[in-house]
Amino acid sequence: METPLLETPPDNAAHSFVPLGYIAVYDATLNCDFAVLAYKEMDNDLGNWRVCIRSTQTVGATLEAPTIAQKARETGTQGKPFFLWGYKLEPTASDPRQIEFRVYQESGIPKELEIFVRLRQFDQSADKPQSLRVPWPT
C-alpha cells in the first residue's frame, strides 16, 4: 500500500481528530498526484466539532456542523439532493477538470459527504470521475 500524501493531524490537548476518508487521483497532463483528506475535528473542551477537508493541490474546506445542518435543511426544502461547500473547480471548454465537495441531505439532515474529482488524461481530455463518499459524522 502506498504512503498517503496527507494524514489526519495527531490528537493534542485541545483537539481530537477522526479520519473520515482519503482519495488520491492522478492528473496526467500535469504529471501530478492529487490527494484529498476529510476528517472530523473535535474541540475537547467545548465538544464542538467540524469536518475539515485538506488537499495537496487546492484549497480545502471547513464545514462547521451547525452551518451545514442549516444549509441541509434549506437544501431539503428546495428539493435538491446535495449542496456544494468550500472550494470548487468547474470544467470549461479548455479545461475539463472538476472538483467539488458535496454534502448530501435527506429530509433536511446531512447524510453524506462526497469529494468528487475529475482530472485529465495525458492528451488533456477528461479522465473518468472519481469520488469518495463517507457518512456525515454525528
Side-chain angles (χ1 to χ4, degrees):
M1 180 170 183
E2 280 188 40
T3 302
L5 299 173
L6 291 169
E7 294 185 1
T8 304
D11 292 351
N12 58 51
H15 297 97
S16 299
F17 303 93
V18 177
L20 299 176
Y22 173 86
I23 184 171
V25 183
Y26 177 71
D27 186 280
T29 300
L30 294 176
N31 188 25
C32 179
D33 290 310
F34 177 97
V36 182
L37 169 71
Y39 58 89
K40 180 179 177 180
E41 176 184 312
M42 296 170 289
D43 182 317
N44 292 337
D45 291 332
L46 301 176
N48 299 331
W49 63 272
R50 67 201 54 76
V51 172
C52 298
I53 300 174
R54 292 178 48 206
S55 169
T56 56
Q57 302 298 328
T58 65
V59 177
T62 301
L63 297 84
E64 297 288 345
T67 305
I68 296 302
Q70 182 179 12
K71 184 68 176 174
R73 184 176 180 189
E74 175 187 319
T75 301
T77 63
Q78 296 170 354
K80 298 177 183 176
F82 68 87
F83 59 91
L84 303 179
W85 198 263
Y87 175 83
K88 67 179 175 182
L89 178 63
E90 296 177 342
T92 64
S94 62
D95 186 347
R97 291 178 294 172
Q98 182 177 3
I99 300 168
E100 295 179 347
F101 306 142
R102 301 171 179 172
V103 178
Y104 287 82
Q105 62 80 31
E106 288 179 15
S107 302
I109 298 170
K111 291 296 181 184
E112 283 187 311
L113 170 65
E114 179 183 27
I115 298 168
F116 178 90
V117 181
R118 179 181 311 149
L119 297 180
R120 298 170 295 181
Q121 298 182 63
F122 185 71
D123 64 1
Q124 297 189 24
S125 64
D127 204 347
K128 66 178 181 176
Q130 298 184 50
S131 74
L132 167 73
R133 285 178 82 153
V134 296
W136 183 253
T138 56

